[in-house]
Amino acid sequence: MHGPVARLLRPLVRLLVQRGITFPALTNLLRELYVNVAEYDFALPGKEQTDSRVSLLTGIHRKEVRRLRGAGAPVSQVPATVSRTSRIIARWVAAPEFTDGQGRPLPLPRSADDAAPSFESLVAGVTKDVRPRAVLDEWLDRGLVVLDPEGRVRLLEAAYLPKGGAEPQLYYFGRNLHDHIAAAAENVTAPSPRFFERAVHYDGLSDGLARRLEARAREIAMGALKEANAEAHAACAEDAGGRHRWNFGIYIYREEVSARDSGAGPESDAAEGSAP
């Protein structure tokens, strides 16, 4: 596991150094997580989890284990603005009344006297806690929408793309990476791959071709996400609800590889389970 874990952690360590999170700070966090995971995820059925067993599983001294235990399992709270914005945009790009024949989000009047779709009815269909005008002002300020010459509200992004390293972007950073790693880890430890996790990759490409493939992959990926969102949105209307969640993600990556690490020529592969 040493080699794969080192490769996995390298970009994370680069980000931590950029953000000023030192090695001692990271070790404190890892110590807490090791104890927490051992306490909650490796408890034996019908038996009380002891300090000694947690110490044995983690290699952390029992004194430290005793100090750190009982903090409770980590909880990922969704920032209110993230939840509200993502739900409104998901409805805008999925609900038939707010999209055109090609599935593109319609420009919406701010309000409508009849039952015609409007920005006001779009927001009201998701939340009654915030006035549509407040949402519109926030979105105009953040560059998510613009007003066209007719005064209609136009969505600029077909997906919620928070930027700048603020709370919304960091929330998605943690959630999406967690789910990707969790799926890959489950596939490695399970008798057979449980989750779909595959990638197509080519090495030894020119810069121009790599950029062209990236652009084309963005188009393909966005189409798949829109289709999945439309089906999920429609299915949720008839679902009784429960305790499960679902995440469908796609990633694209491109980089220049040093001559030492590059291959002799183009290669391709599509692998499942613990694929890179």
Side-chain angles (χ1 to χ4, degrees):
M1 290 289 290
H2 182 85
V5 170
R7 184 173 187 179
L8 167 71
L9 291 178
R10 186 174 184 85
L12 179 59
V13 170
R14 185 185 304 121
L15 175 64
L16 295 176
V17 173
Q18 289 173 344
R19 286 303 187 99
I21 298 179
T22 62
F23 178 70
L26 179 61
T27 56
N28 288 336
L29 174 60
L30 284 174
R31 188 180 295 110
E32 294 174 6
L33 284 172
Y34 260 79
V35 170
N36 190 275
V37 168
E39 180 177 3
Y40 289 97
D41 295 3
F42 288 85
L44 297 174
K47 292 188 177 181
E48 182 181 354
Q49 187 73 301
T50 64
D51 292 346
S52 296
R53 185 163 188 272
V54 173
S55 178
L56 180 65
L57 288 169
T58 62
I60 298 172
H61 196 277
R62 277 187 301 172
K63 271 189 178 180
E64 280 292 278
V65 169
R66 191 177 304 114
R67 182 178 69 85
L68 295 170
R69 282 189 67 185
V75 176
S76 178
Q77 296 290 344
V78 183
T81 182
V82 170
S83 176
R84 183 179 65 242
T85 299
S86 61
R87 285 185 293 136
I88 296 172
I89 292 180
R91 187 174 187 228
W92 197 348
V93 300
E97 64 268 31
F98 295 106
T99 55
D100 62 18
Q102 285 71 48
R104 295 171 299 197
L106 290 168
L108 300 173
R110 297 191 195 189
S111 60
D113 295 332
D114 52 17
S118 67
F119 187 80
E120 188 175 272
S121 64
L122 171 71
V123 175
V126 173
T127 177
K128 299 289 196 301
D129 297 333
V130 183
R131 292 185 299 110
R133 179 53 191 264
V135 175
L136 177 58
D137 289 343
E138 176 193 351
W139 286 19
L140 287 169
D141 182 62
R142 290 163 52 189
L144 292 176
V145 297
V146 294
L147 297 178
D148 66 14
E150 299 176 36
R152 297 176 302 180
V153 185
R154 287 185 175 271
L155 181 65
L156 289 182
E157 296 284 357
Y160 181 38
L161 297 172
K163 304 176 181 68
E167 182 185 31
Q169 188 178 34
L170 292 177
Y171 165 73
Y172 281 114
F173 168 78
R175 190 198 68 173
N176 291 342
L177 286 182
H178 167 276
D179 288 359
H180 193 167
I181 294 174
E186 179 74 18
N187 289 344
V188 170
T189 57
S192 60
R194 176 184 174 189
F195 294 105
F196 186 89
E197 193 227 355
R198 310 183 79 170
V200 175
H201 50 88
Y202 281 74
D203 302 318
L205 306 177
S206 66
D207 179 66
L209 177 56
R211 290 178 181 274
R212 192 162 77 246
L213 289 174
E214 179 189 359
R216 177 60 182 138
R218 284 176 178 268
E219 295 177 2
I220 296 171
M222 200 63 217
L225 290 171
K226 285 181 178 179
E227 183 176 350
N229 177 58
E231 291 194 19
H233 180 83
C236 284
E238 301 178 356
D239 186 56
R243 296 175 55 83
H244 290 267
R245 70 182 184 91
W246 166 77
N247 189 8
F248 172 53
I250 300 172
Y251 73 91
I252 304 166
Y253 186 66
R254 171 179 59 85
E255 70 172 349
E256 182 179 3
V257 183
S258 65
R260 180 188 62 188
D261 297 330
S262 63
E267 295 180 357
S268 70
D269 191 16
E272 189 170 348
S274 57

